[in-house]
Amino acid sequence: MVVGDGVTLTVFDADSDPSADPDIPLSLMITYGKARIFLPGDLTPEAESALLAGDTPLDATVLRVPREGHREANDERFLAAVDPQVAVLAVEAGNRFGLPHPETLERLAALDAILYRTDEVGTVHLVTDGEELWVR
């Protein structure tokens, strides 16, 4: 759906497909020019598989890393399908769950994406003109 000023919003929502798994969380892809920002919900491995099986391409310029970098999310196939240039991992410093898990950090490192972690750099601001992307 076009939301204005050339911005398109794609909603990945199980509720729009009666045969879909109802446990797939809402995920969004924001597209503006060449910039694509993927904001997946709290994806389980099953939800990642369902997104991979869908018809909508998942490739994105920016990925907000699901589930704060939990080892059970962000599998290699999902990350390869998204293939982001920038990954943003929103995680609380010193959280009691030990997130992000080292396994996820290794998978992210294999992508050659620039990783911004909120526990290390604070708030991450993304700005794009549809051609270039700036991270502040």
Side-chain angles (χ1 to χ4, degrees):
M1 109 180 60
V2 177
V3 294
D5 293 330
V7 176
T8 302
L9 181 64
T10 303
V11 179
F12 301 91
D13 180 9
D15 292 337
S16 63
D17 179 358
S19 65
D21 181 347
D23 293 328
I24 297 174
L26 181 72
S27 296
L28 305 172
M29 179 76 74
I30 302 167
T31 305
Y32 180 60
K34 294 179 183 177
R36 291 171 49 91
I37 300 171
F38 188 28
L39 305 170
D42 198 16
L43 299 179
T44 62
E46 295 79 20
E48 285 182 4
S49 293
L51 285 173
L52 289 168
D55 295 333
T56 305
L58 301 177
D59 61 300
T61 313
V62 177
L63 169 67
R64 199 242 348 128
V65 178
R67 296 188 63 194
E68 300 177 283
H70 195 284
R71 73 175 59 88
E72 291 179 4
N74 309 291
D75 83 5
E76 290 89 355
R77 291 182 321 120
F78 174 76
L79 292 173
V82 179
D83 193 25
Q85 296 170 15
V86 173
V88 178
L89 204 162
V91 62
E92 181 181 347
N95 66 79
R96 65 185 174 130
F97 303 107
L99 297 171
H101 287 141
E103 300 91 329
T104 299
L105 294 175
E106 289 172 15
R107 291 190 291 262
L108 289 168
L111 293 175
D112 285 332
I114 299 168
L115 176 62
Y116 294 93
R117 295 174 46 168
T118 60
D119 62 334
E120 294 177 347
V121 301
T123 301
V124 176
H125 294 271
L126 303 170
V127 179
T128 185
D129 62 4
E131 294 291 324
E132 294 187 52
L133 177 76
W134 297 273
V135 182
R136 300 179 183 149

